[in-house]
Amino acid sequence: SYELTQPPSVSVSPGQTARITCSGDALPRKYAYWYQQKSGQAPVLVIYEVNKRPSGIPERFSGSRSGTMATLAISGAQVEDEGDYYCYSTDSDGNVVFGGGTKLTVL
Amino acid sequence: VQVLESGGGLVQPGGSLRLSCAASGFTFSNYAMHWVRRAPGKGLEWVSAISGSGGSTYYADSVKGRFIISRDNSKNTVYLQMNSLRAEDAALYYCAKFPDYNGMDVWGQGTTVTVSS
């Protein structure tokens, strides 16, 4: 079955750029999306269709893609950006696949 | 724009449960709807989806043959019938409309399913 691979954890100091990667064989042909989830809350969309930012999401969040890897970058990361981040995409059958998630620590 | 899940609870292994998700604030029948779960200590797992018309359904391998997704567009509601429940099905189940071309998505707060004897 199709898999998306993310690092389990990323840690940065406040003000630094955090980069979270998501790798999958179909990513050159399929959109990547990114969700942020904080403890006890529903997921929040931060990037859609590889590099588009939903209304209300700060400009410090950006997305990119190179080959089989999609990347979420948070420029000038803030303590409030801590949480779990998930990429998702679709497989060849149209089924949704989530990455395993990355815990972002900003301290 | 919101969705509200209900129907979670405690069920014994091998038992059944039906989750409901009532939507409002958008043209429900125009959009596919999804169920996503998060088990304790685990990440998000996509469970199932159904097209806007209800004519197409999709399932994760982990639930295929045990769960059935359906919708009633006259009631703006999507359902997840869960049969032959296992301990590993215990999770917080979210109902969601995934992002459209404008990046508009909708998630509920989830309903908790506990599978235990």
Side-chain angles (χ1 to χ4, degrees), chain A residues 44-90:
Chain A
V44 173
L45 183 71
V46 295
I47 292 291
Y48 69 104
E49 294 181 355
V50 178
N51 55 13
K52 298 177 182 178
R53 199 172 49 249
S55 174
I57 299 301
E59 292 184 4
R60 63 180 181 273
F61 288 86
S62 64
S64 62
R65 176 175 58 186
S66 177
T68 60
M69 183 172 290
T71 300
L72 171 69
I74 308 172
S75 305
Q78 302 180 7
V79 174
E80 68 202 53
D81 298 329
E82 286 194 336
D84 296 324
Y85 288 82
Y86 297 90
C87 64
Y88 90 81
S89 187
T90 54

Side-chain angles (χ1 to χ4, degrees), chain A residues 6-10 18-22 33-38 43-47 57 60-61 72-74 77-88 98-106, chain B residues 38 43-44:
Chain A
Q6 298 180 233
S9 63
V10 168
R19 290 183 177 84
I20 300 172
T21 58
C22 172
Y33 300 76
W34 291 92
Y35 274 100
Q36 174 198 68
Q37 188 175 33
K38 297 182 180 181
V44 173
L45 183 71
V46 295
I47 292 291
I57 299 301
R60 63 180 181 273
F61 288 86
L72 171 69
I74 308 172
Q78 302 180 7
V79 174
E80 68 202 53
D81 298 329
E82 286 194 336
D84 296 324
Y85 288 82
Y86 297 90
C87 64
Y88 90 81
F98 279 97
T102 299
K103 182 178 180 62
L104 175 65
T105 302
V106 182
Chain B
R38 185 169 186 181
L44 294 175

Side-chain angles (χ1 to χ4, degrees), chain A residues 4-19:
Chain A
L4 295 174
T5 301
Q6 298 180 233
S9 63
V10 168
S11 182
V12 297
S13 299
Q16 289 186 327
T17 297
R19 290 183 177 84

Side-chain angles (χ1 to χ4, degrees), chain B residues 6-81:
Chain B
S6 61
L10 172 64
V11 61
Q12 292 186 341
S16 298
L17 210 57
R18 189 176 84 152
L19 307 183
S20 299
C21 168
S24 60
F26 61 98
T27 307
F28 183 70
S29 59
N30 284 357
Y31 296 98
M33 295 297 295
H34 299 254
W35 288 97
V36 176
R37 67 187 181 185
R38 185 169 186 181
K42 300 286 186 65
L44 294 175
E45 180 188 14
W46 173 80
V47 174
S48 183
I50 186 167
S51 63
S53 67
S56 297
T57 57
Y58 308 85
Y59 299 95
D61 289 343
S62 58
V63 306
K64 199 171 294 183
R66 299 187 299 122
F67 289 13
I68 301 171
I69 191 171
S70 62
R71 65 191 296 160
D72 184 340
N73 285 345
S74 69
K75 295 182 178 179
N76 284 2
T77 301
V78 60
Y79 306 96
L80 187 68
Q81 177 66 44

